[in-house]
Structure formats: C-alpha cells, structure tokens
Amino acid sequence: PLKGGQDYIDLESLVKLRSSLDLLRRILGFFSTPSSEKYPLLKQMSSSVISFPEVLRRIDTILDRFSQIKDSASEELFAIRKAIREQEGAASRKIQSILRSAAEEGLVDEEATVSVRDGKLLIPISSANKRKIRGIVYDESASGKTSFIEPIEVIEINNRLRQLHLDEQREIIRILTLFTDFLRPY
C-alpha cells in the first residue's frame, strides 16, 4: 500500500518522483557527453542505469511547472475547472451587484468594498441594517458596529462551487489512481 493506506500516489510523492527522475535523466545525460570521459568508472556504472523516460513523460502530462495538477490532465478536470472559474466569476459579479444596490439604498457606505473571510465573499454593513440584506451574518467587527453578511444569492453560488471543488478532488484522485496503476510495473 501507498502512503496513508491510499491506493494512489499523492501529489507530494508524485512531485518528488518527477524531481528524482529528472535528476537521474540529467545525470545520465552528463555521462553521455565528452566531459564524462574524465570519469570512466562512473560512466561505466551509469551505462546500466534505466531512466524511465516514459514515466517522466506521463508525469509531465499531469503536473505543470509549478508542481500542480494541470487542467489538461483530463478532459473532465478541464471542464470542472472551467465551471469553477465561471462560478467564481458569477459570485464576484453577483456580490458586486448586491453591494452597489445596497450602497444606492444607503445601507452601506459608498466606499464599502467586498470583504473576504475564510474564502467567503461578504458585504460589510452597519449592524443596524444587517437584517435588510437577506443572507447569513458571517462575522462582526471588533467594535460590533459592522456586520459582514454573506448574501443568500452568493450562498447558492458558493454551494455550487463547493460541489465543483469536491468533483475536482475526485477527478484528481482518479487521475492519480490511473497514473499509479501505470506506475506499478515500474
């Protein structure tokens, strides 16, 4: 079994494997250059080392240069991440619209901006007006004069986003499981 009893290689181990295989590839590459003639014994020893180029190639279809799973690692992951970006944009547009309307109605300061706390988009509103925007009071300022509301319309979008993030994690696990199955014979 792999780390933690899971049936797939985790991202950290995949990154380490890629790094090790890339280093091995570069070392073996050095021993195929004229400079390596200075080290005949090492050159001879390295001649029987296998570098597993297909494993490295497969890893490079999964990981980007920042050691994150590529959107293009699967068609499904690409579609999920596209939907996530769309929902994040929809949430941002919706909360900005609600903030503008609240400012026009005098419920929030004209200079008020959207706050982000624990990844949630919130509208700062005076505590006296907090019941005038439908949503959940997520936090209050230290003085208690300002409440931070997550509008109901944004909650619905965020719920869809949470589901998409769960779908993303399931797809990443599927990708890593497929790679692990490919890797096992090596």
Side-chain angles (χ1 to χ4, degrees), residues 32 47-48 54 58 72 77 79 82 86-88 94 103 130 135 145 154 157 168 172 180:
S32 66
S47 66
S48 63
E54 182 58 19
R58 283 288 283 268
S72 61
L77 185 61
K82 181 180 179 202
E86 289 169 357
Q87 288 298 302
E88 287 172 341
K94 181 53 105 175
K130 68 183 176 186
K145 292 181 181 179
V154 176
I157 295 170
E168 177 187 33
I172 287 171
T180 303

Side-chain angles (χ1 to χ4, degrees), residues 86-106:
E86 289 169 357
Q87 288 298 302
E88 287 172 341
S92 178
R93 287 188 301 276
K94 181 53 105 175
I95 200 154
Q96 289 296 339
S97 170
I98 294 168
L99 182 63
R100 275 193 306 278
S101 295
E104 288 168 5
E105 294 173 28

Side-chain angles (χ1 to χ4, degrees), residues 122-161:
L122 308 171
I123 293 178
I125 187 168
S126 72
S127 292
N129 291 327
K130 68 183 176 186
R131 302 268 182 256
K132 295 184 178 174
I133 293 182
R134 287 181 356 119
I136 296 174
V137 177
Y138 190 76
D139 201 0
E140 276 189 345
S141 64
S143 67
K145 292 181 181 179
T146 304
S147 293
F148 296 89
I149 307 288
E150 184 179 22
I152 195 80
E153 299 94 331
V154 176
I155 292 170
E156 292 167 6
I157 295 170
N158 283 338
N159 285 342
R160 287 193 294 274
L161 264 170

Side-chain angles (χ1 to χ4, degrees), residues 30-116:
F30 169 79
F31 285 114
S32 66
T33 65
S35 301
S36 67
E37 298 303 327
K38 299 176 198 171
Y39 312 100
L41 193 54
L42 287 174
K43 182 174 180 144
Q44 180 188 0
M45 290 172 62
S46 72
S47 66
S48 63
V49 175
I50 301 170
S51 64
F52 304 102
E54 182 58 19
V55 174
L56 188 57
R57 189 197 68 71
R58 283 288 283 268
I59 293 172
D60 286 340
T61 67
I62 297 171
L63 295 180
D64 64 18
R65 64 181 183 191
F66 304 108
S67 299
Q68 297 300 312
I69 304 289
K70 290 180 177 181
D71 289 359
S72 61
S74 78
E75 288 180 20
E76 180 68 15
L77 185 61
F78 183 85
I80 291 168
R81 287 186 173 168
K82 181 180 179 202
I84 287 171
R85 287 188 294 274
E86 289 169 357
Q87 288 298 302
E88 287 172 341
S92 178
R93 287 188 301 276
K94 181 53 105 175
I95 200 154
Q96 289 296 339
S97 170
I98 294 168
L99 182 63
R100 275 193 306 278
S101 295
E104 288 168 5
E105 294 173 28
L107 299 176
V108 299
D109 272 319
E110 290 291 327
E111 299 87 38
T113 59
V114 173
S115 294
V116 179

